Amino acid sequence: MSEETMVISEVARKFNIENHQLRDWCEVGLVRHKRIGRIRYIFTDEDKKIEKIIELKEKFGKHAPNEMIREELIKANLMSEEQTKIINKDLEEEDTNENSFKEAFLLLAKKIEEMDKKMEKKEQLTLPSENLAEKKDVIEIKEQMNKLEQDNQRLKEVNDQLLKKLDSIHSAMTEIQKEQGKSIWKRMFTK
């Protein structure tokens, strides 16, 4: 087996398929790959297998069961039972590594959150009483500003409604004036 690889996007372009299709085939163990960080690399000796998978998906439909595709690949000598076990083992290790990383990240995030809470408590304890009063004043001012902004928004909406009504009244008055103008002319010239 060759250890030479290509980035998944290059392989997808090469076979004129979408990245997500190839990524799905990797995830279910149809295509041998490796991951470095977030980048997935496809082994170059998988080309014939990818061609066959594309052919099988066209033949059986894009939602053909992966087990059926795997069996067809084994029949075509493009995948052995041993390779299937190796790919499945790699996938399990990848899942384990990914889960370990997630657990470590969550633990780190929890520790940071705990430290932030401790820092907030410490800051609150060390603030002189005048700063607390100033903070309360600032909070009250912010609340008043928010209320004024809400009131301003409501007034703007009312103003918009009034302007619309004024426009419709103006249009109606114009129509009435036109009609009255016509009747005055008719009265003047139809005696």
Side-chain angles (χ1 to χ4, degrees):
M1 280 192 237
S2 170
E3 293 301 311
E4 192 176 326
T5 60
M6 287 177 67
V7 178
I8 190 168
S9 57
E10 293 174 355
V11 178
R13 249 189 321 258
K14 179 178 177 180
F15 290 101
N16 196 27
I17 58 175
E18 298 291 325
N19 283 359
H20 69 87
Q21 290 174 304
L22 194 50
R23 188 174 43 249
D24 291 346
W25 299 343
C26 292
E27 288 174 3
V28 296
L30 293 176
V31 176
R32 197 167 67 94
H33 70 286
K34 68 178 179 180
R35 288 179 74 163
I36 300 176
R38 295 186 68 202
I39 309 290
R40 195 181 305 258
Y41 296 88
I42 309 293
F43 290 95
T44 54
D45 61 357
E46 296 291 285
D47 284 1
K48 288 182 183 175
K49 189 188 301 179
I50 293 169
E51 288 173 352
K52 185 67 173 179
I53 293 171
I54 293 169
E55 176 187 319
L56 292 169
K57 291 287 185 177
E58 287 174 359
K59 180 178 178 181
F60 297 119
K62 66 180 182 178
H63 298 293
N66 293 318
E67 278 306 310
M68 183 176 79
I69 301 295
R70 185 177 281 116
E71 288 174 16
E72 292 295 320
L73 291 173
I74 292 169
K75 287 179 190 174
N77 292 322
L78 293 172
M79 179 181 256
S80 67
E81 292 289 337
E82 183 180 310
Q83 285 176 321
T84 303
K85 289 176 187 173
I86 291 170
I87 289 173
N88 288 337
K89 182 182 172 218
D90 289 345
L91 289 172
E92 287 171 11
E93 286 176 7
E94 194 173 288
D95 286 343
T96 303
N97 290 341
E98 196 169 307
N99 287 338
S100 306
F101 177 74
K102 284 180 183 175
E103 288 172 13
F105 181 76
L106 291 173
L107 182 63
L108 181 61
K110 185 177 179 183
K111 291 286 184 190
I112 291 171
E113 186 177 335
E114 288 172 3
M115 288 178 66
D116 283 344
K117 287 179 182 177
K118 287 179 183 177
M119 291 296 289
E120 283 179 27
K121 285 181 184 177
K122 187 176 180 181
E123 285 175 6
Q124 288 175 355
L125 291 175
T126 58
L127 286 173
S129 59
E130 352 178 295
N131 284 352
L132 290 175
E134 287 175 12
K135 279 190 172 184
K136 285 181 183 177
D137 289 342
V138 169
I139 290 171
E140 286 176 15
I141 291 170
K142 284 184 179 179
E143 288 173 354
Q144 288 174 356
M145 286 177 61
N146 285 338
K147 187 177 181 325
L148 288 171
E149 284 177 13
Q150 290 171 352
D151 290 345
N152 190 27
Q153 183 63 33
R154 277 188 241 123
L155 285 172
K156 185 180 180 300
E157 290 169 2
V158 168
N159 187 40
D160 289 345
Q161 290 172 354
L162 288 173
L163 287 173
K164 286 179 185 176
K165 287 181 181 178
L166 185 60
D167 282 344
S168 66
I169 290 170
H170 181 266
S171 296
M173 290 298 290
T174 304
E175 287 298 317
I176 290 170
Q177 285 175 345
K178 283 182 185 176
E179 288 300 316
Q180 285 179 350
K182 287 180 184 175
S183 64
I184 289 172
W185 285 104
K186 281 183 183 177
R187 277 188 259 152
M188 287 175 65
F189 294 109
T190 57
K191 285 188 178 183

